Amino acid sequence: MEREQLERLLDGGDETSSAALSALRAGASHVVWDGTTSAESLATVYGRRLRHTLRRGIETSGLVRAVQRLDLFGRPVRPGHIKTADGSWVFMLFLDEVGSTLVACTGVRQTQPRPPRPDTR
């Protein structure tokens, strides 16, 4: 999917979609995969991820809303993602089958790599 088309889909959305749009405009990488997946099965998967992130204290954006929207959508979705230029956030996108409507968007802060251990030899 072309960057400009994805920008149009994210424009005017909720806080998470706006953050994904800002990341995209700032040079984030993106992909929307060919093919579709059951929205219901993704709601189940992302429901588990929600519980996991809450237990671990991982920062997310729009995850509760994304799970709800996927659960209610009832038709297959095309998944995609946007990764910020600095790698600090990944946004998952769920579009309708033809890629013309944004169904849901969620983001998760990526854990920062640990600094190398000092050489103790």
Side-chain angles (χ1 to χ4, degrees):
M1 175 174 283
E2 296 294 325
R3 184 177 295 268
E4 295 77 24
Q5 182 181 3
L6 190 51
E7 287 179 5
R8 283 191 298 276
L9 292 174
L10 292 166
D11 195 25
D14 59 15
E15 183 179 319
T16 304
S17 300
S18 295
L21 176 59
S22 293
L24 195 59
R25 289 180 172 161
S29 62
H30 75 283
V31 63
V32 174
W33 290 285
D34 291 331
T36 60
T37 304
S38 160
E40 183 179 88
S41 67
L42 286 171
T44 300
V45 169
Y46 281 84
R48 286 186 197 124
R49 288 185 184 181
L50 173 61
R51 291 185 295 278
H52 172 79
T53 59
L54 289 172
R55 277 194 310 269
R56 300 283 178 133
I58 299 168
E59 186 178 358
T60 65
S61 178
L63 185 52
V64 171
R65 184 170 191 241
V67 170
Q68 292 168 342
R69 294 192 70 166
L70 287 167
D71 193 43
L72 294 172
F73 190 63
R75 295 188 311 272
V77 294
R78 285 182 64 191
H81 85 267
I82 295 172
K83 183 175 183 180
T84 59
D86 67 359
S88 62
W89 280 86
V90 171
F91 296 93
M92 288 301 300
L93 315 170
F94 306 98
L95 310 176
D96 67 353
E97 290 178 85
V98 296
S100 64
T101 303
L102 179 67
V103 174
C105 179
T106 183
V108 63
R109 182 177 295 280
Q110 301 300 291
T111 56
Q112 299 300 318
R114 293 182 183 176
R117 296 172 95 175
D119 190 4
T120 57
R121 287 186 251 164

